[in-house]
Amino acid sequence: MRDLMAITARPEVISLAGGLPDTSTFPSDSFAAQMTRIAHESSAEALQYGPTEGFEETKACILEVMGAEGMAPDPDDLIVTTGGQQAIDLVTKTLVNPGDPVICEAPTYPGALPTFCSYEADVHQVSTDDEGMRIDELEELLEALATAGRRPKFIYSVPSFQNPAGVTLSAERRRRLVELAREREVLVVEDNPYGLLRYDGDPEPTLYSLDGPTSARSRRSSRPASASAGSSRRRPSSRRLAWASRPPTSAPRP
């Protein structure tokens, strides 16, 4: 990730790899006006320390975005992070001990693998095709791990417009993935920065929403539902991670 960002910082490079917006489209006049308004109206609040779990106003925007995708988590389950990288780090730090299996797609988000490896996870990757993660391969992998007496701490997936493959997990595979997670009692970490971005057709349901409101409510005190920022009035630029299945019965890392 460090090498990727170093390359994209070069002025002669137009990168299609990092999800970077075109800086010429940034509304500089609007940004300057908003900063001026904040400086005049609420500079004390803007420059002061805030709650570690995020401002309530930010959480309200997150709930609005998640509601547009059929999700309604408890506000107390929300944690606002400084980007998806911190969210992935917090999840891995909390759940993974050295040698614990973690499953992700192949290829996967380039910022995720170094994080998993930094906590010495045993990373297993499942190949993708035009319909996203190969769920048949995932089933075989889960069975092989179970036979060896091992259960992955979580399955990490970027189901919509996957970075870097660009594929979207089909509705049928999404449902089967959630079913498998329930059957195997494995967490699914859903990385969903692009769920509302599309030029035609209808968005696929999020994995979190497919897990069902009843089961989500029954578990909401034991896990965070999402971490993000943005508003449904525009495509959110930050990443939202949601737990889409029940937590493992083994104790998480302290």
Side-chain angles (χ1 to χ4, degrees), residues 84-132:
Q85 200 67 37
Q86 184 190 12
I88 294 169
D89 181 82
L90 289 174
V91 170
T92 310
K93 180 188 297 182
T94 302
L95 297 178
V96 173
N97 290 305
D100 285 342
V102 166
I103 297 175
C104 61
E105 295 143 341
T108 192
Y109 168 57
L113 279 178
T115 303
F116 302 155
C117 293
S118 71
Y119 292 101
E120 301 181 50
D122 178 20
V123 180
H124 299 260
Q125 293 190 263
V126 177
S127 64
T128 58
D129 58 21
D130 290 342
E131 294 186 50

Side-chain angles (χ1 to χ4, degrees), residues 184-205:
R184 300 284 183 172
E185 294 190 319
V186 176
L187 279 170
V188 172
V189 180
E190 179 179 18
D191 193 346
N192 185 38
Y194 315 116
L196 293 175
L197 172 64
R198 63 175 50 248
Y199 298 101
D200 55 51
D202 297 321
E204 298 290 354

